[in-house]
Amino acid sequence: MNNFEDLIEKEYSNIAGIAIRKDNYLIYEKYFDEYTQDDALHIASVTKSIISILIGMAIDKGYMKNIEQHVLDFFPDYTVKRGEKTIQNITIANLLSMTAPYKYKSEPYTKVYSSDDWVKAALDLLGGKGSIGVFNYSTVGTHILSGVLTTATGQSVLDFATENLFKPLSIKAPTNTTIQNKEDYFAFLKDKYVTGWIVDPKEVNTAGWGLTLTTRDMAKIGQLYLNGGVWNGRQILSSQWIEDSTKVQSRSGKLTYGYLWWILDDCYAALGDGGNVIFINPQKKMVISIASRFMPRAKDRVELIRKHIIPLFE
């Protein structure tokens, strides 16, 4: 154990916390660099997997019919530019499985996040000459799903998440946080202590990034999936959604993807920049959550989990 913790401090220096659950119990918890169990961190693209959960809940509750609905069904006031046909055929499933085409070669983060309506800015980029069904990972495009949730439920994403996910799991709901410029954005990424959930100028919470959670919170969400959607004896998410969202729905080479979850052989994970992870191993009934400070090109957490964590705790 000492060797393991030394390894973390020497080779994975941006890790703030690790929590491991096995057979429904928290069996290990350790914090580094003066962080504690109460400190939230920006979980980056792990936010996407939380949005997947919320889409599943919205379907369970009848706010949405199914994921084969067309994206534009939820934006009746959106005007499609003349001659554009592809966007009209894109479904919610395409956004969830990263199989929607876009009109850019590299993601125009600044263009979207400096606009006064991020959902509309993302819709303006949707479609183009690419093919529907081809894997095309997009963070800005994922924001459209927050617009879908807001339209479908009549609530903000945060309110819907608080009522249906955070409160049942005894997770302290974040507050809305805004960014005004690049300096705010980089401060949110790099400051040691951050809280909240980023909202756009229309107060729509981000879907591709921007949520802060504690290491324990992340482990609870993993446990909810491992439990088939049951928490404290209550079914809060359908087991069918969990099954669908964590099986292969799209692929790119050796990479396989579900509905905003990465599929890793017999395991699956929510993966975020800097090394934020919710890793679920159904066979061993293990959940491993790792919260990390922002660091470009952080060392591979899946390798750490497979090589060092699972053998130590299985």
Side-chain angles (χ1 to χ4, degrees):
M1 184 66 73
N2 288 337
N3 289 343
F4 168 68
E5 291 175 356
D6 285 344
L7 174 76
I8 299 301
E9 291 180 350
K10 289 174 183 174
E11 297 189 27
Y12 299 85
S13 59
N14 71 319
I15 287 181
I18 300 175
I20 301 170
R21 297 180 68 103
K22 184 171 170 60
D23 298 322
N24 231 4
Y25 291 97
L26 184 67
I27 62 166
Y28 175 83
E29 188 175 33
K30 178 71 176 179
Y31 295 91
F32 304 88
D33 197 20
E34 299 180 351
Y35 283 94
T36 72
Q37 67 184 41
D38 299 317
D39 292 323
L41 283 92
H42 175 220
I43 60 172
S45 285
V46 172
T47 307
K48 294 179 173 74
S49 302
I50 308 304
I51 291 296
S52 175
I53 295 171
L54 299 180
I55 292 286
M57 288 177 165
I59 292 170
D60 288 346
K61 295 179 179 300
Y63 291 114
M64 298 167 60
K65 292 175 187 174
N66 55 57
I67 58 173
E68 298 308 322
Q69 286 183 265
H70 290 108
V71 171
L72 292 186
D73 290 352
F74 297 89
F75 305 102
D77 297 332
Y78 181 76
T79 302
V80 177
K81 292 181 178 64
R82 216 171 138 188
E84 289 191 8
K85 294 182 179 179
T86 304
I87 189 174
Q88 299 179 50
N89 295 317
I90 295 171
T91 65
I92 302 302
N94 294 134
L95 293 179
L96 289 166
S97 60
M98 297 292 181
T99 56
Y102 295 90
K103 302 167 189 165
Y104 58 74
K105 289 186 178 178
S106 60
E107 294 200 61
Y109 298 109
T110 303
K111 182 178 180 180
V112 173
Y113 300 144
S114 62
S115 71
D116 59 4
D117 187 339
W118 297 1
V119 174
K120 182 182 181 299
L123 283 168
D124 287 344
L125 296 167
L126 191 61
K129 295 179 181 178
S131 299
I132 296 173
V134 176
F135 186 82
N136 183 18
Y137 189 86
S138 174
T139 292
V140 295
T142 311
H143 192 69
I144 296 167
L145 289 171
S146 282
V148 168
L149 278 167
T150 302
T151 301
T153 65
Q155 294 179 273
S156 72
V157 175
L158 177 56
D159 286 347
F160 185 75
T162 299
E163 180 183 331
N164 297 289
L165 179 63
F166 296 148
K167 274 189 179 176
L169 269 59
S170 299
I171 291 172
K172 183 181 178 182
T175 54
N176 286 334
T177 301
T178 58
I179 55 171
Q180 307 291 338
N181 47 47
K182 270 189 178 180
E183 288 72 28
D184 287 352
Y185 172 73
F186 285 115
F188 185 78
L189 292 186
K190 295 179 179 180
D191 285 357
K192 182 169 181 179
Y193 298 106
V194 292
T195 57
W197 194 342
I198 296 290
V199 290
D200 71 10
K202 299 289 186 184
E203 299 203 338
V204 176
N205 297 91
T206 46
W209 62 287
L211 173 61
T212 63
L213 291 174
T214 69
T215 313
R216 275 191 178 186
D217 295 339
M218 294 163 71
K220 285 180 178 180
I221 288 164
Q223 188 71 60
L224 175 69
Y225 259 54
L226 193 56
N227 290 354
V230 175
W231 191 264
N232 285 342
R234 179 184 162 202
Q235 190 85 41
I236 68 168
L237 177 63
S238 68
S239 59
Q240 186 63 54
W241 179 259
I242 292 173
E243 183 182 331
D244 292 344
S245 62
T246 60
K247 70 183 180 186
V248 176
Q249 302 289 351
S250 58
R251 62 179 69 240
S252 175
K254 292 182 179 179
L255 297 175
T256 48
Y257 203 67
Y259 291 145
L260 303 182
W261 287 87
W262 292 96
I263 315 304
L264 308 168
D265 299 320
D266 57 345
C267 303
Y268 54 92
L271 301 176
D273 202 11
N276 289 280
V277 182
I278 303 172
F279 184 96
I280 296 142
N281 185 322
Q283 289 185 331
K284 298 186 185 298
K285 297 183 179 177
M286 287 182 74
V287 174
I288 298 155
S289 65
I290 302 175
S292 306
R293 288 180 291 106
F294 174 75
M295 174 189 281
R297 296 175 296 281
K299 285 189 72 172
D300 186 351
R301 299 301 196 252
V302 174
E303 181 185 352
L304 169 68
I305 288 167
R306 290 200 189 279
K307 191 173 177 181
H308 296 285
I309 294 180
I310 290 176
L312 192 60
F313 293 95
E314 65 181 335

